[in-house]
Each structure stands twice: as structure tokens, then as C-alpha cells.
Amino acid sequence: MQEALSSATRGAHPRATDVTVRDAVCDLMRRFGMTTVFGNPGSTELPLFRNFPDDFRYVLGLQEAVVVGMADGYAQATRNAAFVNLHSAAGVGNAMGNIFTAFKNRTPMVITAGQQARSMLALDPFLASREATELPKPYVKWSVEPARAEDVPHAIARAYYLAMMPPRGPVLVSVPVDDWDRAAEFLPVRVVSRQVRPDPVVLDQIARALDAAARPAFVVGGAVDRDEAFDDVVRLAEAHNARVFVAPMTGRCGFPEDHSLFAGFLPAMRERIVSLLADSDLVFAIGAPAFTYHVEGFGAHVPPGAKLVQLIDDPHTASWTPEGIAAFGSIRLGLVDLLARTRPPARSLPPARVAAPRVQPTAPLSTAYVLQSLAEMRPAESIIVEEAPSARPVMQAHLPILISEGFFTMDSGGLGYGMPAAVGVALGKPGRRVIGIIGDGSSLYSIQSIWSAARLALPITFVILNNRRYAALQDFAPAFGFAAQEPVQGTDLPDLDFVAIATGMGCPATRVHTADALRDALDNAFASNRPMLINVEVDDRPSSK
């Protein structure tokens, strides 16, 4: 098979009778740059891995949600679709939480799922996926079980092109186990456009609105960083002296948070958004929905008298935006065109954002102090992967993200993404320090990721913010009618030994209680080229202050 694949890359394919579905698919994977396979193998997937190519890499996750989370981080870090192999219906079911997250993250991903042999499907056999194409819907862009074995390579190619087209996302191909050894043909790799340039007529309207505004505000989302438009947003904001906010529930950093024009983060609450934007007469949502809400709200979506305009890469998002002008297409190309179209008037600089005061160490340590320490000690090019929902507002105050591709979290709100995504990001950005900031409750959705990090010897520092509770739920309870001090059932997490869990999976770990111990642990972790877990005992309850 190796000789066949080698000749295929030179354009001299062997005779069609010598080519199997497996040969043709591996050839496509190589030429699509998908030679890293994320999986947790089952019986119906084994034929894919016979005579596994020497230039391919198999990354094992110990549970399917971990597999998809690692692939998500890797795809975002490499800006190419990741290849995922899951086991029939049960494996896809286990992975669905992170497939949902990949869909919300707009992460390109080609997922193959094993299926029982075609000759058995009429008999409802053991391990068959009865409705294989329906199971992952609606959180894949496309799903298919090819009608014939020889159609599998074409389905894989189509899946790749669709995954990479905007808005990007996961796709699924169900492959019967007996298809891999059937005869097939090599396919050509085609050039397919991955960018849509926004309508110039609509951009002209947005440009005129920008130039006419007295007090513009930008609201940036994750699509800015996904489309490599980070620097373009900075240039446009500086040209207009516009305040720049981060959109609610954003999974990437779209603007340097130490910039003089950075104004802060919008919460996922309608009335609070309107209040924070009250001084603006134009709101420009760039690569972000306008807006993502988490609790029910009422009234206007933007301040009275303000105009809403939007540049977005997702036509579905553009369709539900409640008012204003929406340009659909590439964020980067749209910003380049806007920079050429606008003639900004002279405007004074908006007031600078008030910096958070420094935090002093306490006993127990506060989350704010831990994150402030990380901000001071992290390597300059380090990447933050976060899944600590209750700590996110604290992180936004004390751990600024300064660079493109410097921050990843989930757009979905579904837990179990952060730890495996840190593994995937580290694989996709070799040589870069990855810091996983993970809540104690969040970590347990995909704790098996520690084993993968240890086996792969990746430079990841996992910082577990251990407050022994689901703090986000307890803190959010009053919004749902809970009385002060009323217990919230099922939200306490006592007696979890993360040091024992990590060391049991081959990863060095330490428990931290004091400021000195925290700094020593971070020094040791950042000096190592291997993973380390730091379990930090924190307490942010009012009584501890």
C-alpha cells in the first residue's frame, strides 16, 4: 500500500483493480493534510487501520468526547480540518457534546463513524447504527452513508470541502466495515474556494454609517481570529477611534486586551449590553452575533438612537439578527474592503478602560490572585485554553489575552471541551506553551485527556481551579428564584483528589495552597517540556474575603 500511495502523490496511480477504498481514502487524507487521526477504535473501524501508513499519526483518546475535543483544538490551531474516527452509534453518542461544541466553534472536522457490514444491515445487527446519518443532526453541516462502497472516497472528499467552506464545521461519513477492502479509484484533489467576499453595495452602506458616526463602538467575536483578521480589526478601530468590546460568550480573542481602545466584555444579557453601549451611536458587530443572550431580556437590542451594522461569515446568524445592516462573507476580506472605503472624521479618543486593581494573596487563595499570577509569569507566546465558567469574568479582569491565536474556549457552553482541546492545540502548535485553566467540575467531563497529554509528552500546564463546587450554578441560582443561602442540590464537589488522578495517568501533579507554592509550581511547570497539573485550592465565597 505504501508504494501505491507514494506513486499516487506523484500522479502515477496504480491500476484501478489494485486500489481499495482504504487506499483511495488514505491518499485523499494525505493530500488534504489530514495525516493525524484522532480516534478511539472499535471493531467496525479496524479495517481502516490495517497497513496503517508510516507517515500517519494516530492520536488515541480514552473516550470519544476526548477524541473530538482534541481534534477541535488541533483543527483550530492548524486552520485545517481534523480527521476523526468514531465507533458506530455508541461512539458518536458519547462524542455528541463535543460535536455540538465543534459546530458552535465553527471547527472544520471530518468525522468517520464505523457501521456494520452492508450485508447484515437489513437484519438490525449488533453494533449497527440504525439511523447513522440522523444521529449527529442538526450539529453537523452534512452527514452521509454512501450508497456504495466505491462512493466512500468521494464522500470523504465532499465532506472535507464542505467542512472547510464558510461557515466551517464538522461533517460525518458513516462507513460500513466491509467497505474498506472493496475496489475503488483514486480521486483528484480539486481547488475549491473557501472565501466569500462581502457584497460591495452593503459594505458601502456600512462604510458610510461608520464615517457618519460620532461615537462608534465595535463588538468583536471569534470569527475575527478564525479568519486571521486580528490585525485588520486593530487598524479599523484605530482609524475610527472606536471603542472595542468583546461579544458575549466568545471563544477566541479578536482584539488585544491591553490596547487603549479596548473597552471590555459584554455579558449575555440584553439590558446590560444596551447599558454598556449607551454612549454609542453606531454599533458594529464584527465576526459576532448581535447578540448572544443567556437569560431572558426585554426592550431594545441597542441603545435608543444607535444604528446596528454587522459583518458576519454565517448567513444563518445574519438572518436572525433583529435589526440593522448585515454583510455576509469573509471577515478579513470585508475589513480590508472597509479600510479602503472609509474616510474617518477626526474623533477624540474614548475614555480608557479602568484597569482592575491588583489582588493580594489570601488564605485560601482567590481565583483573581491565581489568574493575576498567571498573567505575570506565563511565557510570552503561551496559549490559554479555558473551561472554568465561573472564573471567566475574573479571567477577563486579571488575565488579558494579547495576541492572535492566544485564547481558545467553547462557544457552546457545553462542558468537556477544555482539557482535550488543550491537548489538540499543543499538537497543532508544537513548541508553544499551552496553559489549560480548568474548573474542578469542568475537568471531570474529560479528565482522561491527562493520559493523552502525558503519553504525547506535550508542554501543557493544567491549572485546576478547585473550589469544590459547581460555582457557576450556585452563583447563577438567584436569577432563577433561589433565596439567599438556599442550597442548590447537586452542586457540591467534595473529596476529589486531582493530584492522585493525574499521577495515576502518568502526569506529574502538585497541590497548591499558598502564594509562594503557586509561584514555585508555575516556575517548575513552565520550565518543563512535559505536562504538569497544578491543583490550586481557591475560595471566592463572600465569607472568605
Side-chain angles (χ1 to χ4, degrees), residues 15-84:
R15 291 177 298 119
T17 53
D18 298 330
V19 178
T20 67
V21 168
R22 179 174 56 253
D23 296 335
V25 168
C26 287
D27 177 61
L28 283 172
M29 291 167 63
R30 176 178 287 107
R31 291 190 286 153
F32 286 144
M34 295 192 300
T35 56
T36 295
V37 178
F38 295 88
N40 181 274
S43 57
T44 54
E45 293 76 59
L46 288 177
L48 171 60
F49 305 117
R50 194 168 63 248
N51 299 322
F52 195 61
D54 292 338
D55 60 329
F56 279 42
R57 170 174 59 176
Y58 188 91
V59 179
L60 173 63
L62 300 185
Q63 204 263 7
E64 287 89 347
V66 172
V67 169
V68 173
M70 290 192 299
D72 190 319
Y74 184 77
Q76 292 199 64
T78 60
R79 298 187 179 276
N80 190 32
F83 190 92
V84 176

Side-chain angles (χ1 to χ4, degrees), residues 124-462:
D124 198 11
F126 186 67
L127 288 180
S129 183
R130 184 179 298 176
E131 300 288 345
T133 62
E134 296 300 314
L135 179 58
K137 291 181 179 178
Y139 298 115
V140 290
K141 292 182 67 176
W142 182 61
S143 60
V144 66
E145 186 172 280
R148 305 177 305 165
E150 54 264 47
D151 296 331
V152 170
H154 185 273
I156 298 290
R158 182 177 176 182
Y160 176 81
Y161 297 130
L162 279 171
M164 292 296 291
M165 289 178 182
R168 295 179 174 185
V171 294
L172 182 137
V173 182
S174 173
V175 185
V177 65
D178 52 341
D179 282 6
W180 295 107
D181 293 315
R182 300 291 178 87
E185 295 182 355
F186 287 111
L187 295 181
V189 171
R190 300 157 49 227
V191 176
V192 178
S193 174
R194 299 175 185 174
Q195 298 284 5
V196 176
R197 201 163 205 120
D199 185 341
V201 174
V202 178
L203 288 180
D204 283 340
Q205 295 180 49
I206 293 176
R208 288 195 295 270
L210 269 175
D211 291 348
R215 299 173 306 281
F218 293 177
V219 178
V220 299
V224 168
D225 205 28
R226 287 196 300 269
D227 203 27
E228 300 181 84
F230 189 93
D231 293 336
D232 300 298
V233 167
V234 173
R235 282 193 287 271
L236 191 65
E238 290 175 347
H240 285 274
N241 276 346
R243 293 187 301 164
V244 181
F245 293 88
V246 173
M249 317 306 289
T250 293
R252 300 278 290 263
C253 175
F255 195 81
E257 294 169 16
D258 61 346
H259 196 285
S260 60
L261 291 172
F262 183 65
F265 300 83
L266 297 182
M269 303 169 65
R270 185 187 303 192
E271 293 87 349
R272 288 281 295 132
I273 291 172
V274 171
S275 174
L276 288 168
L277 297 174
D279 293 335
S280 305
D281 59 349
L282 180 83
V283 177
F284 185 14
I286 307 173
F291 298 98
T292 299
Y293 302 128
H294 185 38
V295 295
E296 186 179 18
F298 303 93
H301 297 277
V302 294
K307 187 172 186 177
L308 175 64
V309 297
Q310 181 181 44
L311 173 62
I312 191 69
D313 62 348
D314 182 359
H316 178 75
T317 302
S319 72
W320 64 250
T321 300
E323 59 183 87
I325 300 169
F328 160 68
S330 163
I331 306 303
R332 182 179 57 83
L333 294 180
L335 290 172
V336 168
D337 289 349
L338 280 173
L339 282 162
R341 280 170 163 78
T342 58
R343 299 293 182 268
R347 299 187 184 97
S348 58
L349 283 170
R353 183 187 184 213
V354 177
R358 283 193 57 77
V359 181
Q360 299 303 314
T362 55
L365 293 174
S366 67
T367 297
Y369 183 81
V370 174
L371 298 180
Q372 176 183 274
S373 299
L374 273 172
E376 294 171 350
M377 298 181 64
R378 61 181 166 172
E381 296 298 312
S382 60
I383 300 169
I384 303 293
V385 181
E386 176 265 323
E387 190 177 295
S390 64
R392 192 168 302 160
V394 183
M395 186 190 76
Q396 292 167 349
H398 296 281
L399 179 57
I401 308 301
L402 311 179
I403 57 174
S404 175
E405 297 186 308
F407 175 71
F408 298 88
T409 190
M410 73 291 193
D411 282 316
S412 67
L415 300 182
Y417 163 83
M419 292 193 87
V423 176
V425 170
L427 282 169
K429 297 289 188 186
R432 298 277 292 276
R433 167 66 51 182
V434 174
I435 302 170
I437 301 173
I438 314 292
D440 52 346
S442 297
S443 72
L444 296 170
Y445 286 75
S446 53
I447 198 76
Q448 304 95 325
S449 309
I450 297 172
W451 182 87
S452 297
R455 286 295 296 266
L456 295 164
L458 296 171
I460 304 173
T461 304
F462 293 110

